[in-house]
Amino acid sequence: MLRDEVLALLKGQEGYCSGEEMSRRLGVSRAAVWKAIAALRQEGYEISSAPNRGYQLQHSPDRVSVGELQGALAGRVIGRELLCLDTVDSTNNEVKRRAVEGAPEGLTVLAGQQTGGRGRRGRVFVSPPGGLYVSVLLRPNAGMRELMWLTSWSGVALCDGIERCCGIRPGIKWTNDIILDGRKVCGILTELGMEGESALSQYVVVGAGINVTQTEADFGPEVAPVAISLAQKLERPPRRAELAAAVLTALDEMRAAFPHEKERYLEQYRRDCLTVGREVRLLRGDRMEEAVAEEIDEDFQLVVRFPDGRRETVYAGEVSVRGMLGYV
């Protein structure tokens, strides 16, 4: 849309940008540029104008749009095709629908609210307004063993993006929860698309839901004790567009590094993981066992020790791990 292109130009300009220059660069009339400026102002963008100088962006509302992200993601694979929605059933679902239609690697879907958000093992993922919900499409050339690392790699990337944008680094509850002050600030869901006849992977969807501006009331009484938003931790929470740019950049760096920079991501995951050293409960269906989480192995799986001294490698798809003291 022209509005997004005009916004991208304004965001990439330090000073004023004339209407004539914008019309020339975009190949449209000056009247069309003026209409786009008027539409942006109606959306809450503060844009000053001066005779013989043009327009300058002074202030941006908390909106996520193609125009907000275009400049920050220029030259990246992730984000080269962007879809920004107010509401969707699930950003992962939207990416999967487009993946089977042949969408290119890097397709990114962002939303301000999900009506059917999902977590691991089919759990409901509460997705109220005020969060940032994002999914990206990857088509990695890797074997099944390496593909199983992607959830952990994505956890590191999400921590990288939040730290760059907010100045604080959260931790990771094995395997896919991002934790801040003992409560969940972000969840990750990776989904693999397989080809039926060959059993080869066709695509991977990496989805994340980050709590940005929600309050306890937004989470509700059941979720509030175990969830936290960035606004509850920071004096000034980031604009969601700025957070999206940082997170998508970190995910693109992860995409480029996968799987050959394994040691770097494994080392960082081990530093970020809050589960190691804690007592945990392993839930296998209706059966529960208590153990101590001892280490993360070479495949990003959790190694635990039971009271009788037995050690076991726990795989994310087999059990649910709950901390016995606090959320982690």
Side-chain angles (χ1 to χ4, degrees), residues 233-248:
K233 172 66 176 179
L234 304 171
E235 290 185 9
R236 182 178 299 176
R239 292 178 61 246
R240 287 176 300 150
E242 295 170 355
L243 180 61
V247 164
L248 292 174

Side-chain angles (χ1 to χ4, degrees), residues 166-183:
C166 304
I168 54 172
R169 188 173 187 90
I172 301 172
K173 170 187 172 288
W174 186 88
T175 178
N176 67 332
D177 288 342
I178 307 301
I179 303 298
L180 192 60
D181 283 356
R183 291 185 285 170

Side-chain angles (χ1 to χ4, degrees), residues 1-3 5-6 9 19-36:
M1 294 177 62
L2 180 59
R3 185 175 66 241
E5 294 179 279
V6 169
L9 282 180
E20 180 179 359
E21 173 68 11
M22 282 193 281
S23 66
R24 184 185 65 80
R25 292 174 64 178
L26 298 175
V28 298
S29 68
R30 293 185 64 177
V33 170
W34 181 86
K35 287 181 180 179

Side-chain angles (χ1 to χ4, degrees), residues 73 75-82 103-108 252 255:
L73 299 177
R76 300 280 179 184
V77 171
I78 286 182
R80 61 184 174 186
E81 185 173 324
L82 273 171
E105 182 175 42
L107 166 69
T108 301
D252 190 66
R255 178 206 60 78

Side-chain angles (χ1 to χ4, degrees), residues 68-74 76 245 249:
E68 284 278 0
L69 296 170
Q70 209 168 55
L73 299 177
R76 300 280 179 184
T249 297

Side-chain angles (χ1 to χ4, degrees), residues 162-313:
I162 292 172
E163 182 179 29
R164 291 173 191 175
C165 184
C166 304
I168 54 172
R169 188 173 187 90
I172 301 172
K173 170 187 172 288
W174 186 88
T175 178
N176 67 332
D177 288 342
I178 307 301
I179 303 298
L180 192 60
D181 283 356
R183 291 185 285 170
K184 185 173 178 176
V185 72
C186 171
I188 300 169
L189 178 64
T190 55
E191 297 186 87
L192 178 64
M194 304 289 292
E195 187 179 79
E197 294 182 359
S198 67
L200 296 175
S201 67
Q202 291 184 309
Y203 62 83
V204 178
V205 179
V206 176
I210 308 173
N211 301 327
V212 185
T213 63
Q214 296 101 319
T215 64
E216 287 190 11
D218 294 323
F219 291 128
E222 293 186 2
V223 176
V226 296
I228 189 173
S229 70
L230 293 172
Q232 290 174 296
K233 172 66 176 179
L234 304 171
E235 290 185 9
R236 182 178 299 176
R239 292 178 61 246
R240 287 176 300 150
E242 295 170 355
L243 180 61
V247 164
L248 292 174
T249 297
L251 286 170
D252 190 66
E253 292 169 354
M254 179 202 78
R255 178 206 60 78
F258 185 81
H260 56 277
E261 293 187 30
K262 175 197 172 185
E263 291 306 317
R264 178 164 69 89
Y265 277 82
L266 179 59
E267 180 182 351
Q268 187 60 60
Y269 189 88
R270 285 170 169 165
R271 286 200 296 263
D272 289 335
C273 186
L274 303 172
T275 306
V276 173
R278 293 177 178 265
E279 294 182 330
V280 296
R281 293 189 179 101
L282 310 182
L283 306 180
R284 292 184 170 97
D286 296 331
R287 183 165 58 93
M288 181 184 70
E289 297 178 277
E290 295 182 359
V292 174
E294 289 203 329
E295 64 175 326
I296 302 296
D297 75 5
E298 291 294 312
D299 285 315
F300 298 86
Q301 305 302 335
L302 185 67
V303 179
V304 301
R305 184 182 295 277
F306 295 99
D308 62 5
R310 288 181 298 117
R311 296 178 87 238
E312 180 181 329
T313 299

Side-chain angles (χ1 to χ4, degrees), residues 120-121 174 282-285 312 314-321:
R120 284 182 61 236
R121 304 168 75 86
W174 186 88
L282 310 182
L283 306 180
R284 292 184 170 97
E312 180 181 329
V314 177
Y315 296 90
E318 296 179 347
V319 301
S320 178
V321 176

